[in-house]
Amino acid sequence: MLKAVVRGGAPVLFWHAALVAALLCGVGLLPWLSRTDPALTVLRARSAERVPTPEVLDAIRTQLGLDAGPLKLLGDWFGGLLHGDAGRSWISGAEVTPSVLQAVGVSLLLMGGSLAVAVLTAGAVCARTLRLGAGRRPDGRRSAGTGSALLSTLPDFLTASVLAAVVGVQLGWLPALGWYGPQWTVLPALSLGLPAGALLGRMLDDLLPGAFAEQWALAAAARGVPGRSIARQALRRCVPGLLPNFGLFVVGLTGGAVAVEQVFDIPGLGRLTLQAAVAQDLPVLQAGTLALVLLAAIAGGAARLTARLLIGPALRDGALLSLHRPTPPRPTTLPLLYGGLLLAVVTLGLARDPLRLDTTARLQPPSWAHPFGTDGLGRDVLARVGHGALSTLALALAVSATALVLGVLLGLLPRVSGPLVDTVNAVPPVLAALLVTGVAGSGPSTPALAVTAVAWAPLAAHTSALLQQERATTHLTATRALGAGPLQLLRRELLPALLPPVVRHALLRLPGVALALAALGFLGLGAQPPSPEWGLLLSENQPYAERAPWAVLAPAAALALLGAVAVTGGGGVRWPRRPRRARRRATGETQTQTQTGTGTTAATRPEPPDPARPIRPEGVTSDA
């Protein structure tokens, strides 16, 4: 058995190691890929006032060994790493390993607090469904998600800025700057944990109705098992499908916490990596990236091991059922309401000029002339929100659709995509944008390529987790035993079970994709001012948040409306069911008619149960 495990895991470990080595080599070649002079970048990082004369640049090249070429530098760095030496910083000259380890400790502490907030938020989001399921009334669950949509679409840097300004400065309840003890972790943890918890809670809330409709839950309710016990087992049934994405959130709360670390002045790993990437301090950048990759591998392995421990015997014996929703969600007018409101805002904004300057009307509050007020240059905020919707929404939809296709295709190949997901998720979005810019050059397509390069990973992890459970279902085992081929299993059984929840997951991430695209423009890697993209509006008006909060609230509200439309509309995404006659023909139902003297009798083979329809024990009703 041990030999089989080694033989099965060796290719995956080799593939993982190759991906990590390729990523580190790409990071080490970043200055040469971006066609910049690393000596000039290092000089500017050391002293912006010093004149870059040829003599000074030659001295820096000699000191750092840049004349030997990038391959020699990479070889020396890898050689030192084998002996526990990650080199010295090109900027400060200090040893890299102590600074990286200190940043890792800070990020892990921040991550722990953020995960606690995320778990509490996720529990609050799905509390209603748990309560209804424990009370044997899961069908009474109404289509919801507005509050979680608002939370999941809050930009972390905007939340951090508001909390720091209001709670930390104006009210003085908690410290708003620095990193000196547990009190300094509260506001950053709230900024990171609230959006992550809202997204995880929505994904869990999407799976729980299917768990409460399974045969074991109905039988337990019929036998009088307490509702709390059923709810706990339903959570255990649904959590394994979310653990891979939970592992991705763990890594995202470290390397992806750059904006929050900047706002609160936290010396974390994400901030250290970003500063090293901007200054092209390659030893620090490579060591920080390696730390993120190792953290991603540990988190991914722990998530997969925990999933095995929770439902391992059922996976081994093929005794699971598909987590299909027992009934379609009730029709709701919320998507039409939110969509109509967003469309009205965009339409009114398109009728105005987004570039018209009026310096005499700077930071004016909302009025009849300017319903959303004006920004720091006197431009109409409503006009900028309306015109920014065209490019923001179109590009976000295109990137989300591409990420969905890539995520599903790669998720169907878990042995290939598993290590790739761990490696890609370890790369902060800013670093991914810098790498894409170095390879493809700066241009209007750079933000889309950079966000697409990392946006497919959570969807692929979700697809792989659902695929693992779906392969262990009883109906799939029975269908395979009846002679169904791989293509028929994929088309008739696997895709109908996988696509609806993954599509709903992609819709949940649509506002985040829109924000990530615009945030890269703010960093100089995409759209530039005076472009009215929503992320740029947030970034440009953030310094005026205290004096003119409407300039920040308007684009944030537009993103929240987009999230509300995606969440409430995505709840009805289901695999189209075939007509009953077509299903009978597909399952091979045969009818044998026997002519008699008085009439015709028909012997019909019974139709196999529909996997989307819950199987109830005999004598158990939906109200039991």
Side-chain angles (χ1 to χ4, degrees):
M1 180 178 179
L2 181 60
K3 292 181 178 179
V5 171
V6 172
R7 284 197 302 268
V12 177
L13 291 177
F14 178 78
W15 173 229
H16 208 155
L19 289 172
V20 173
L23 174 61
L24 292 177
C25 290
V27 170
L29 297 174
L30 182 60
W32 291 271
L33 289 175
S34 58
R35 294 172 291 277
T36 59
D37 186 359
L40 178 60
T41 306
V42 170
L43 176 63
R44 289 174 177 172
R46 289 179 176 178
S47 176
E49 294 81 11
R50 194 170 181 182
V51 180
T53 62
E55 293 78 10
V56 172
L57 296 179
D58 290 338
I60 293 177
R61 294 189 186 98
T62 303
Q63 177 189 3
L64 302 179
L66 297 176
D67 294 332
L71 298 181
K72 180 66 168 53
L73 291 175
L74 279 173
D76 293 342
W77 187 81
F78 278 111
L81 193 64
L82 295 177
H83 300 87
D85 182 14
R88 290 183 173 273
S89 170
W90 287 1
I91 307 302
S92 64
E95 292 186 3
V96 171
T97 303
S99 60
V100 171
L101 291 179
Q102 182 181 2
V104 169
V106 171
S107 293
L108 290 179
L109 181 59
L110 178 60
M111 180 192 69
S114 302
L115 287 180
V117 174
V119 170
L120 293 176
T121 305
V125 170
C126 59
R128 174 179 169 80
T129 303
L130 286 172
R131 187 172 65 253
L132 290 175
R136 288 92 166 176
R137 294 180 292 110
D139 291 341
R141 174 178 173 269
R142 294 177 299 177
S143 181
T146 304
S148 59
L150 296 177
L151 284 178
S152 61
T153 54
L154 284 176
D156 52 6
F157 69 87
L158 177 61
T159 308
S161 301
V162 172
L163 289 177
V166 177
V167 180
V169 176
Q170 294 183 0
L171 300 178
W173 292 347
L174 291 168
L177 193 65
W179 188 261
Y180 304 103
Q183 292 182 345
W184 279 261
T185 65
V186 177
L187 295 182
L190 288 174
S191 304
L192 292 171
L194 287 176
L199 186 57
L200 284 173
R202 283 300 309 168
M203 295 171 62
L204 180 60
D205 193 67
D206 186 57
L207 295 176
L208 282 173
F212 282 117
E214 287 186 340
Q215 186 175 359
W216 65 265
L218 298 171
R223 290 177 177 270
V225 176
R228 292 184 178 179
S229 299
I230 299 176
R232 284 196 300 267
Q233 294 303 320
L235 277 176
R236 181 179 178 180
R237 174 69 179 90
C238 297
V239 164
L242 301 180
L243 281 176
N245 270 278
F246 189 79
L248 298 185
F249 275 112
V250 169
V251 184
L253 293 176
T254 52
V258 178
V260 174
E261 291 176 355
Q262 291 277 32
V263 171
F264 290 102
D265 194 22
I266 299 174
L269 187 58
R271 184 184 179 190
L272 177 69
T273 306
L274 174 62
Q275 291 175 348
V278 173
Q280 294 187 357
D281 191 354
L282 295 188
V284 178
L285 179 59
Q286 288 171 311
T289 305
L290 180 60
L292 288 172
V293 169
L294 292 177
L295 179 62
I298 294 173
R304 286 187 285 269
L305 178 61
T306 306
R308 286 280 184 179
L309 293 176
L310 288 176
I311 57 172
L315 291 175
R316 182 191 63 230
D317 300 335
L320 288 177
L321 295 176
S322 295
L323 283 177
H324 292 284
R325 288 189 174 190
T327 56
R330 296 179 181 179
T332 175
T333 59
L334 289 179
L336 297 178
L337 176 62
Y338 297 139
L341 185 58
L342 181 60
L343 181 61
V345 170
V346 173
T347 303
L348 291 176
L350 289 176
R352 298 167 176 261
D353 185 3
L355 302 178
R356 182 176 178 271
L357 300 178
D358 186 2
T359 55
T360 61
R362 296 177 63 251
L363 302 178
Q364 292 294 317
S367 60
W368 285 109
H370 304 286
F372 285 179
T374 60
D375 62 7
L377 297 177
R379 295 172 297 190
D380 187 79
V381 176
L382 175 60
R384 296 185 63 75
V385 170
H387 285 265
L390 299 179
S391 56
T392 303
L393 296 182
L395 195 57
L397 287 172
V399 170
S400 298
T402 306
L404 175 62
V405 173
L406 291 176
V408 172
L409 292 179
L410 291 174
L412 294 175
L413 304 171
R415 294 178 66 86
V416 176
S417 63
L420 188 58
V421 167
D422 292 340
T423 306
V424 168
N425 188 66
V427 181
V430 176
L431 180 57
L434 291 174
L435 291 173
V436 171
T437 303
V439 175
S442 181
S445 61
T446 299
L449 292 175
V451 175
T452 305
V454 297
W456 62 269
L459 303 177
H462 195 188
T463 303
S464 297
L466 294 179
L467 177 66
Q468 183 186 32
Q469 297 190 37
E470 195 66 24
R471 283 176 172 173
T473 55
T474 53
H475 75 86
L476 193 71
T477 304
T479 306
R480 188 185 296 112
L482 292 174
L487 291 179
Q488 184 178 3
L489 288 175
L490 179 65
R491 187 165 59 94
R492 301 290 188 185
E493 305 293 342
L494 294 177
L495 288 181
L498 300 179
L499 281 184
V502 177
V503 170
R504 292 192 290 267
H505 182 187
L507 288 174
L508 286 174
R509 291 186 175 272
L510 177 61
V513 169
L515 183 64
L517 287 168
L520 292 180
F522 172 71
L523 296 174
L525 301 174
Q528 298 294 314
S531 173
E533 280 191 313
W534 289 352
L536 280 178
L537 298 186
L538 287 170
S539 302
E540 290 173 349
N541 296 317
Q542 183 184 354
Y544 310 106
E546 295 186 29
R547 296 173 53 195
W550 52 84
V552 178
L553 291 177
L559 276 172
L561 279 177
L562 175 62
V565 172
V567 171
T568 56
V573 175
R574 294 174 62 86
W575 187 265
R577 300 184 62 181
R578 292 171 293 164
R580 184 174 180 84
R581 183 177 302 175
R583 293 203 306 270
R584 288 179 176 176
R585 190 182 303 116
T587 56
E589 181 184 61
T590 59
Q591 290 186 348
T592 306
Q593 294 184 350
T594 306
Q595 298 291 337
T596 61
T598 56
T600 302
T601 61
T604 306
R605 187 172 67 187
E607 177 188 357
D610 187 353
R613 188 184 307 126
I615 303 175
R616 294 184 171 87
E618 195 173 326
V620 178
T621 65
S622 59
D623 295 329

